[in-house]
Amino acid sequence: MEKRFPCSLFVSLLLAFFFLFSTNSSDALEVGFYSKSCPDVEKIVRKTVLSYYKDDPTITAPLLRLHFHDCFVEGCDGSVLINSTTTNVAEKDAKPNLSLDGFDVIDKAKAELEAKCPGVVSCADIVALAARDAVSLATYVVRSGKWSKNYNMYEVETGRRDGRVSTVSDAINNLPSSFWGIYQLKRSFASKGLNLKDLAVLSAAHTIGNSHCNSFAKRLYNYTGKGDMDPSLLASYATTLKKECTPTDNTTVLEMVPGSSTTFDTTYFKLVKEKKGLFHSDQALLRSQVTKNYVFSHVTNSTGFFHDFGVSMVKMGRNKVLEGKNGEIRKNCAVIN
Ligand code: HEM
Ligand SMILES: *[C@@H]1O[C@H](CO)[C@@H](O)[C@H](O)[C@H]1NC(C)=O
Ligand SMILES: *[C@@H]1O[C@H](CO)[C@@H](O)[C@H](O)[C@H]1NC(C)=O
Ligand SMILES: *[C@@H]1O[C@H](CO)[C@@H](O)[C@H](O)[C@H]1NC(C)=O
Ligand SMILES: *[C@@H]1O[C@H](CO)[C@@H](O)[C@H](O)[C@H]1NC(C)=O
Ligand SMILES: *[C@@H]1O[C@H](CO)[C@@H](O)[C@H](O)[C@H]1NC(C)=O
């Protein structure tokens, strides 16, 4: 008995390991999913993003946001890219879409990939790769002052398939609002497999990009409907913002981080600490101990933040993905096959 025990334990461990391995290897997300079927996929997406970035570094923010919107609505399945049709109003055309952009970059990469390996690479994976590339460029190029085509902030798992559903109501029901507090944000992120630390880390994506006045103007003029201001916003900063945004302005766009909206760094944490986050949802990070500690302790810890950002992005990128034979590989990212 005593002799057989370790042996059967070994056999069952081996079986368990084999079982785990075999169900994981063929159709689940992994780094390098296309290494045989389309080995140049990462090079092609990087080259495409870089070509746009050289002309206009503001392309990084929309590309990053696109992956977030894709993953929060119907899982990371490229559904954010689908155009509305005569019979369906797609995610793209929901109100939170405001300023959603970068579709041309995804389409360009897709066209090159279709020429090289037709029908192989999903639009959802292109979005995930482009987000990583955008952030990597906005970090490395700015930090080092040099071009690096190859710096990756983190490795991206691939193997997602494209979905066949994209509706305006899904977008409205699944995207967090910039007026939400910590409780709603926590619940929304938890429903996507993300915890409070991920919330603090990923919210710092707002260290790049812009916002329309109407995404926060209520905080300046009429927060609770009594002509008041959002007390979580620094009053003197509200005064500054009021000079730029009238109460009904739908068109003016402000930099989320004044003066450095294309630099991916920890300035976001500094602004939130100073109560200068543009959104109520940004300031809500000070309302839980976990997120508040993260904000305060990463104002000057960019190495730690970049590491954590990669970890949380990979986690976000796993939300409700279609794998194996589910979904499809879209031919044109804007149209269901
Ligand atoms: C925590 C909940 C979040 C809320 C409520 C939120 C809300 C918003 C809003 C209202 C805008 C401005 C849209 C406009 O008026 O033009 C915005 C912009 C942006 N968001 Fe978020 N967001 C959240 C999380 C995230 C996450 C997780 C990411 C990415 C990982 C992200 C990336 C961005 C980027 C990069 C922009 C700038 C886009 C541009 O300049 O084109 N956001 N967000
Ligand atoms: C999808 O919509 C965009 C903008 O509305 C348009 O430029 C593009 O050509 C459309 N793509 C297809 C394949 O219809
Ligand atoms: C965003 O959605 C609104 C409808 O809510 C639509 O009128 C607008 O054209 C959309 N914007 C973009 C950039 O697709
Ligand atoms: C402020 O909001 C309240 C309630 O929504 C509304 O009745 C009032 O007209 C608003 N005031 C202004 C100045 O927009
Ligand atoms: C801004 O948009 C809202 C609806 O989204 C509309 O009711 C309002 O009239 C617009 N304001 C201006 C100044 O265009
Ligand atoms: C920087 O952040 C990382 C990741 O959150 C953490 O592990 C590390 O201890 C931090 N370093 C310092 C000096 O606080």
Side-chain angles (χ1 to χ4, degrees), residues 92-95 97-100:
K92 247 185 200 178
D93 295 314
K95 195 157 175 258
N97 71 0
L98 274 167
S99 85
L100 225 47

Side-chain angles (χ1 to χ4, degrees), residues 118-139:
V120 171
V121 180
S122 69
C123 297
D125 281 343
I126 298 174
V127 171
L129 290 168
R132 185 273 311 272
D133 291 347
V135 171
S136 299
L137 289 171
T139 308

Side-chain angles (χ1 to χ4, degrees), residues 142-217:
V142 173
R143 213 168 30 150
S144 68
K146 305 189 288 225
W147 290 102
S148 169
K149 287 183 190 163
N150 304 320
Y151 169 72
N152 284 334
M153 181 183 277
Y154 57 94
E155 296 299 325
V156 176
E157 294 177 340
T158 44
R160 297 170 190 80
R161 311 235 330 150
D162 295 323
R164 296 194 180 95
V165 176
S166 176
T167 65
V168 73
S169 56
D170 270 336
I172 290 164
N173 293 333
N174 286 285
L175 289 168
S177 156
S178 58
F179 296 103
W180 279 2
I182 190 68
Y183 178 74
Q184 285 164 300
L185 292 168
K186 181 182 174 183
R187 203 171 47 175
S188 162
F189 273 60
S191 74
K192 314 297 172 190
L194 300 167
N195 61 27
L196 279 173
K197 179 180 178 185
D198 299 314
L199 172 64
V201 170
L202 293 172
S203 293
H206 292 164
T207 200
I208 54 171
N210 305 297
S211 172
H212 288 77
C213 287
N214 55 356
S215 294
F216 58 87

